Amino acid sequence: MANSTSVELIAAESISLRIAVVRGQRVLTDTDLAALYGVETGRLNEAVKRNLPKFPEDFMFTLSTEEFSSLRSQLATSNDVPAGRGGRRYAPRVFTEHGALMAATVLNSPRAVEVSLYVVRAFIRLRELAASHVDMAHRLGELEARTEALAQHQETFSRRADDQLKQVFEALRDLMKPSSPSSKRPIGFLPPTDDA
C-alpha cells in the first residue's frame, strides 16, 4: 500500500498535467475542476454564478473563442466539443489557483475541500518548477558570460604570446644567418703596419 505522501505526489502530478497557461496565468478549466471535485460542470458553474462576487478576474475568467481553441490544443483534448455539435453552449470558465480554492468553498462538499489541497499543491509544484527553470537559466547565463570572458582573455593572451613567439623566432633566425666575411672585423690587437 502506497503511503500518503506518494499518493499526494501522484495526485498533484496528475492535476499538474491539466493546468494550462492562459493570459499569462496558470489555470484549470471548469470541466477539469468539476471532475476533480466530483461534481458536474453545470453544478460548479451554478455555484460560481450564485457567488460571482467571490470570483474576481484574477480568480476566474471566461475564455474567448480563440483562447478556447488554443487551450484545447495546449491540453490536447477533445472532450469539450464546440457549441453547435452537441457540446458546450457557453465558452468555458477557467480558474486560477485562488479561484480553484474559492470554488471548493462555494461547493462546500468534503471531496471538494480534500481535493482542493491537491490542486493547491499542484499549482505550488508548477511554480517551484518554473522558479527552478528561471534560476537555472540565470545560472546558465552567468556561466556563458564567464566562459565568453575567459575565451576573450585567452584570445588576447594567445595573440600576445603569438607576437612574442614571432619576435623570438625572428631573433633566432637573425642569429642563425651566416655573416659575410667582408663585413667581419678582426678581433683583438692589430700589429702596426708599415704604411704608417
Side-chain angles (χ1 to χ4, degrees):
M1 188 167 158
N3 64 22
S4 65
T5 305
S6 65
V7 171
E8 289 174 11
L9 185 60
I10 291 168
E13 200 58 44
S14 65
I15 294 168
S16 297
L17 296 174
R18 304 304 302 164
I19 296 174
V21 177
V22 179
R23 298 182 194 174
Q25 296 187 51
R26 289 183 181 83
V27 296
L28 277 168
T29 64
D30 54 1
T31 305
D32 289 333
L33 195 59
L36 288 169
Y37 289 166
V39 297
E40 291 185 16
T41 306
R43 180 160 180 262
L44 171 69
N45 284 323
E46 286 170 8
V48 168
K49 203 182 292 183
R50 282 193 307 270
N51 295 282
L52 217 46
K54 293 182 177 182
F55 293 92
E57 187 77 12
D58 58 330
F59 280 33
M60 180 229 28
F61 53 91
T62 303
L63 296 178
S64 69
T65 307
E66 296 81 27
E67 289 170 332
F68 183 41
S69 259
S70 174
L71 181 67
R72 286 181 62 203
S73 65
Q74 196 179 133
L75 294 176
T77 181
S78 62
N79 60 350
D80 285 324
V81 182
R85 295 190 218 154
R88 302 180 69 116
R89 288 190 285 169
Y90 305 103
R93 291 183 168 130
V94 290
F95 296 82
T96 64
E97 178 180 354
H98 301 298
L101 279 175
M102 188 60 72
T105 64
V106 298
L107 286 173
N108 200 23
S109 74
R111 177 177 166 95
V113 171
E114 179 185 346
V115 173
S116 68
L117 298 174
Y118 295 117
V119 171
V120 169
R121 288 184 181 121
F123 275 103
I124 289 170
R125 182 164 166 71
L126 284 177
R127 231 184 349 261
E128 288 170 349
L129 284 173
S132 72
H133 286 306
V134 168
D135 184 46
M136 201 178 311
H138 178 70
R139 287 182 181 186
L140 184 61
E142 285 178 349
L143 181 61
E144 186 178 23
R146 276 194 241 152
T147 305
E148 215 171 277
L150 184 60
Q152 288 176 351
H153 177 71
Q154 189 69 21
E155 188 177 315
T156 303
F157 176 76
S158 181
R159 271 186 271 144
R160 280 194 224 133
D162 284 346
D163 291 343
Q164 290 172 350
L165 284 173
K166 283 180 189 175
Q167 289 173 358
V168 167
F169 288 129
E170 285 174 20
L172 287 173
R173 281 191 192 97
D174 286 343
L175 290 173
M176 291 174 47
K177 285 182 188 173
S179 54
S180 62
S182 62
S183 68
K184 243 183 174 183
R185 243 181 42 170
I187 299 176
F189 180 74
L190 294 176
T193 58
D194 292 337
D195 298 342

